[in-house]
Each structure stands twice: as C-alpha cells, then as structure tokens.
Amino acid sequence: MTVVGPELDAATRARAVRAFQALPAEDRREALALARQGRRHPDERVAAVSWWYAAAVLQPRWYHRVPVVVPPLLAMLLVVLAFAVDAWPLALAGLLVLLAGAGLAWQRASAEPLLRLMRPADASAGE
C-alpha cells in the first residue's frame, strides 16, 4: 500500500522542500539511509525537516495511489500498439509513461520511509 502525506497548502509544501534542500547533503543522505534501515535520524531537527519534505512530496494525489507496476505495463502496451498500427507517436507516449513512472517510483521509494519514521511531534498542527 502506498503511503501518502497529509494535504498541505502550496506555501507549506514550498517551505518544506526549501528547508530540506537547505540541509547539508550529508544530513539528507544520512536521513534517507537511516529511514531505509528503519531508524530515525538522531537529530530531531533533521528528522522533522525530512518528514515535512516527504509529506510535501507525497501529497494525496491520484498518481501516488497508482500501483508501481501500472506505468511499465501501460508503456509496454503502448509500444506493442505502436508496432501493430505503425504509429511512432504511441511508442513515444510509451516512453514518456515509462519515464514518468520511473520518476514516481523513485520518489516514493525515497520519501515513504521518511514519512513513516520521521514524524515530528508538531506534525498534527499542519493537518
């Protein structure tokens, strides 16, 4: 099941992304690595910024609820149809669907552990 964050307004999402990007690269990498291992970052500030970033990235939108296998299957279908009807735009659409699906899969894989583990005490104030 896909994990999605709480609904946030545009200003809060922008602040969360900027705050995460303002963290030193080492802190960002460490937060992601620890979250993948099932552990919280020891610095509560980094953990809180990481959680708000993940909540901003994983908004409750329809494309976050689509199973990860759907875009590659759709891309394959489009490529097969492109060869069957000799229409290269369908193959191009299949490639675009595949790239978009890969981007979403990477985004989920990196942000979901942060959203699960790094929830700060003040997170309920933003919901």
Side-chain angles (χ1 to χ4, degrees):
M1 177 165 169
T2 301
V3 175
V4 294
E7 184 71 41
L8 302 174
D9 60 76
T12 303
R13 287 192 313 265
R15 277 193 312 272
V17 170
R18 280 194 306 272
F20 186 73
Q21 291 171 344
L23 288 174
E26 182 180 317
D27 285 344
R28 291 192 308 260
R29 282 192 299 270
E30 187 177 13
L32 289 167
L34 288 171
R36 281 190 213 106
Q37 295 170 9
R39 297 184 353 217
R40 226 178 130 73
H41 194 280
D43 183 344
E44 283 302 313
R45 182 182 154 281
V46 173
V49 168
S50 299
W51 186 87
W52 283 103
Y53 166 76
V57 168
L58 295 176
Q59 285 294 284
R61 305 289 187 262
W62 67 269
Y63 48 84
H64 287 301
R65 288 185 169 82
V66 173
V68 177
V69 298
V70 170
L73 292 175
L74 181 59
M76 273 190 340
L77 176 67
L78 287 170
V79 169
V80 167
L81 280 174
F83 282 108
V85 298
D86 195 25
W88 67 267
L90 284 177
L92 183 60
L95 178 63
L96 293 175
V97 166
L98 185 64
L99 291 174
L104 282 174
W106 177 83
Q107 185 180 55
R108 284 184 199 170
S110 62
E112 280 182 0
L114 293 173
L115 196 63
R116 284 191 180 108
L117 291 171
M118 306 287 182
R119 186 179 184 99
D122 66 341
S124 59
E127 293 180 19

